[in-house]
Amino acid sequence: MEDVVMQALFPSSTFWRGKRVLLTGHTGFKGGWAAMWLELLGAEVYGLALSPAAASGGEALWHAIGRPGNRCGFADIRDAAAVEAAFATARPDVVLHMAAQALVHASYDDPVTTFDTNVMGLINVLEAARRSPGLQAIVNVTSDKCYENTEQVWAYRETEPMGGSDPYSASKGCAELVTASYRRSFFNRPEGPLLASARAGNVIGGGDWSPDRLVPDCVRSFSRQADVLIRNPLSTRPWQHVLEPITGYLMLAQALIERGADAAQGWNFGPPDDDAWPVGRIVDALAQAWGSGVGWVRDETVRPHEAMLLRVDASKARLGLGWRPRLPIGEGLAWTVDWYKSVAAGQSARTITMNHIRAYEALSGAAK
């Protein structure tokens, strides 16, 4: 039975062809991959995000893979009028809200912008969605860091309380509360759009150039034959290749349209426990795949607090949506190194990305 559900819901052109999709954050890392996959599936993608130069490391990815034709707009989601205009242009069937200030350390440096973007920006999107005729589904992408992290050894489930010590994590907890409020107050009518949230773990993959993030830091150091500085080699995170959670987001949007209100909830998308590796093991695997004798050294600089242990339980998504991880973390790391090394050697980033998407689709066995 589970295989039947997965076959029915795995992203395919049968569902997505011709769908009008407003994708916020399309110049970011995950947004770029989502934009390209949606285009390959035949969707009409309309982007709304900061300009590529203003996005964290977004310029290289945007020019390489993430450009949704000419149907893109560059604006700050904190600008309510600009968000409203984007909805009027796109007239979307589906909204995938990925735009965010997504870096923990940046949130310590500028908490006001973090909360303004991740909370009020979301509210601007949901307010515009309330007035958007024809809209069927909204997926708000938050984070596994939305949970009140007590450093517990078991994985967090969707029923755990929201929280967050650092401003970024707290802003994502707030975003989940906003989502729940709007779902109960405004998006609860049979004739109206349905609203769900998606909580994913630490993603890896080609094209991420964000500052102060593990894989980009490794790539920058290894590219110049230098060891990378690592803050907390024992910190454990739910690592997964970027295509894993994007699959979940697309399946969730489809479930909202095809299954209705039962899918209008919060959903975790995370790897199995065996893939929740400590940082040091991730870097060792990246270094081995990269070659040239590079490695890591401990960064003794005093940094703001970061949680040491975080895992999410994705049982609900496996049982309720038929979603499951398809790419073990070791293979995901190999794909990531392949992407960066191939681009550095002059190969087309768009072609490499397309090949990775096609290879990932093949893992599902789903008919296209």
Side-chain angles (χ1 to χ4, degrees), residues 172-223:
K172 288 301 187 177
C174 289
E176 284 286 350
L177 296 176
V178 168
T179 301
S181 172
Y182 268 73
R183 179 167 52 241
R184 293 165 182 160
S185 300
F186 307 113
F187 297 110
N188 57 0
R189 300 173 179 85
E191 71 280 6
L194 295 174
L195 170 62
S197 62
R199 308 157 187 175
N202 289 49
V203 296
I204 61 170
D208 186 4
W209 295 106
S210 301
D212 205 26
R213 190 175 278 170
L214 183 62
V215 171
D217 283 351
C218 288
V219 171
R220 282 186 284 265
S221 295
F222 296 168
S223 296

Side-chain angles (χ1 to χ4, degrees), residues 2 36 66 69 72 85 95 99 145 260 289 315 327 329-330 335 343 351 354 365:
E2 184 181 9
M36 184 168 179
C72 60
V95 171
K145 295 178 179 64
S315 298
L327 193 63
I329 186 59
W335 285 26
V343 170
T351 299
M354 185 184 303

Side-chain angles (χ1 to χ4, degrees), residues 6 90 99 104 108 172 202 212 223 251 258 279-281 308 314 316 324:
M6 287 188 289
V104 172
Y108 279 110
K172 288 301 187 177
N202 289 49
D212 205 26
S223 296
M251 290 173 68
E258 294 187 345
V279 166
R281 185 178 177 186
M308 289 292 291
K316 178 179 168 182
R324 63 177 174 85

Side-chain angles (χ1 to χ4, degrees), residues 114-321:
T114 299
F115 280 103
D116 202 10
T117 301
N118 294 352
V119 181
M120 291 309 301
L122 166 63
I123 290 174
N124 289 338
V125 169
L126 295 179
E127 282 294 299
R130 291 176 60 195
R131 296 182 286 272
S132 183
L135 179 61
Q136 297 175 274
I138 311 157
V139 175
N140 176 32
V141 176
T142 63
S143 170
D144 59 352
K145 295 178 179 64
C146 66
Y147 295 107
E148 181 66 39
N149 193 333
T150 59
E151 304 281 355
Q152 65 188 26
V153 296
W154 55 86
Y156 292 91
R157 297 180 178 179
E158 288 86 351
T159 54
E160 308 269 0
M162 299 294 106
S165 297
D166 60 89
Y168 168 74
S169 300
S171 74
K172 288 301 187 177
C174 289
E176 284 286 350
L177 296 176
V178 168
T179 301
S181 172
Y182 268 73
R183 179 167 52 241
R184 293 165 182 160
S185 300
F186 307 113
F187 297 110
N188 57 0
R189 300 173 179 85
E191 71 280 6
L194 295 174
L195 170 62
S197 62
R199 308 157 187 175
N202 289 49
V203 296
I204 61 170
D208 186 4
W209 295 106
S210 301
D212 205 26
R213 190 175 278 170
L214 183 62
V215 171
D217 283 351
C218 288
V219 171
R220 282 186 284 265
S221 295
F222 296 168
S223 296
R224 61 176 190 272
Q225 301 299 306
D227 292 339
V228 65
L229 290 173
I230 298 300
R231 296 188 299 274
N232 298 305
L234 298 180
S235 293
T236 300
R237 296 289 184 269
W239 308 98
Q240 55 189 333
H241 189 272
V242 63
L243 290 173
E244 302 271 49
I246 291 175
T247 300
Y249 307 158
L250 300 185
M251 290 173 68
L252 179 53
Q254 182 171 342
L256 287 169
I257 293 174
E258 294 187 345
R259 298 185 181 178
D262 286 346
Q265 308 174 35
W267 300 82
N268 288 340
F269 298 99
D273 287 349
D274 289 348
D275 281 356
W277 289 8
V279 166
R281 185 178 177 186
I282 291 287
V283 179
D284 286 341
L286 284 169
Q288 182 176 7
W290 195 273
S292 303
V294 290
W296 59 272
V297 294
R298 181 70 181 267
D299 183 359
E300 301 295 343
T301 305
V302 176
R303 301 276 189 158
H305 170 75
E306 291 182 283
M308 289 292 291
L309 181 63
L310 177 59
R311 292 184 296 119
V312 292
D313 185 334
S315 298
K316 178 179 168 182
R318 289 195 296 273
L319 296 172
L321 298 176

